[in-house]
Amino acid sequence: MRALATAGLFTGLGSSSLISDASAGTAGHALAVSVDDFYYRDTSSEPTDQTAVHEQRLRAFMTALRNDVTADRRFELVLSSCAPNCPTDGPALRDRLRAASQAGAQILIIGGVHKMSTLVQFAQTVAIDTTSQRVVFRKYFQFRGDNDEAWQRAERFVSEELRDRLLESRSQQ
């Protein structure tokens, strides 16, 4: 798994605050979004192996995130082409962006969760315009706790922030 904190996590992608002109043409329609599985990294050095529990929580997080996108009529969910085990950098990311675009997605959402310590976890979420291959949203979220409730709260917050920011970027066109 890859570290969240590395500066080159999503190399070769420029920054942009707006969704590309190709996406702007659909302002009256649902925004087509693909959500790839996030990766998980645990560097907490806790003595108990929690791999199975973390995999289960991450799956629940991803399911809830996709359900939130589906439940919001302003978005259309396009199935991911690489689930599970989506790579997060290099040429494979460009291939995933191309595949997401060919499947009809205007935005590809990728990310990961990094457990730093017993109490602190970080989630990174990146939304990339599939046409321009530009980052339209990137944010690190910190959440406390490593139980089902903490993960559910984190997912709700990440989902709301992500959807709000994508709609904000879209409306600025």
Side-chain angles (χ1 to χ4, degrees):
M1 292 191 199
R2 296 165 187 13
L4 281 173
T6 59
L9 181 64
F10 302 106
T11 56
L13 298 173
S15 288
S16 173
S17 62
L18 301 175
I19 298 171
S20 76
D21 292 338
S23 300
T26 62
H29 300 37
L31 182 61
V33 176
S34 182
V35 182
D36 282 357
D37 286 340
F38 289 12
Y39 65 89
Y40 187 80
R41 181 167 186 238
D42 183 350
T43 60
S44 66
S45 299
E46 292 179 318
T48 305
D49 182 2
Q50 299 176 346
T51 302
V53 170
H54 289 147
E55 287 174 0
Q56 180 181 8
R57 288 186 179 135
L58 183 59
R59 278 193 306 273
F61 182 98
M62 296 311 305
T63 298
L65 186 59
R66 289 183 181 107
N67 287 342
D68 286 349
V69 170
T70 303
D72 189 328
R73 295 188 184 270
R74 299 170 295 181
F75 297 93
E76 172 191 349
L77 183 65
V78 176
L79 295 179
S80 173
S81 63
C82 72
N85 302 324
C86 301
T88 57
D89 60 4
L93 178 56
R94 293 214 186 273
D95 292 342
R96 287 176 32 221
L97 285 163
R98 189 174 17 265
S101 179
Q102 290 171 350
Q106 296 164 284
I107 300 293
L108 175 64
I109 298 170
I110 59 177
V113 177
H114 182 183
K115 183 174 181 179
M116 297 288 294
S117 68
T118 301
L119 295 176
V120 179
Q121 297 193 74
F122 294 95
Q124 178 184 22
T125 304
V126 181
I128 307 166
D129 183 297
T130 60
T131 302
S132 68
Q133 297 190 354
R134 297 221 179 259
V135 172
V136 295
F137 174 77
R138 176 189 320 246
K139 187 165 184 175
Y140 291 92
F141 300 89
Q142 180 182 25
F143 64 102
R144 304 245 179 222
D146 190 11
N147 57 34
D148 292 342
E149 182 182 352
W151 277 77
Q152 290 164 2
R153 278 193 319 266
E155 183 282 325
R156 284 189 301 268
F157 186 79
V158 167
S159 172
E160 184 176 314
E161 181 78 10
L162 177 65
R163 289 179 288 136
D164 286 350
R165 291 291 302 275
L166 286 175
L167 291 171
E168 178 183 297
S169 292
R170 188 179 199 196
S171 71
Q172 292 176 0
Q173 298 181 31

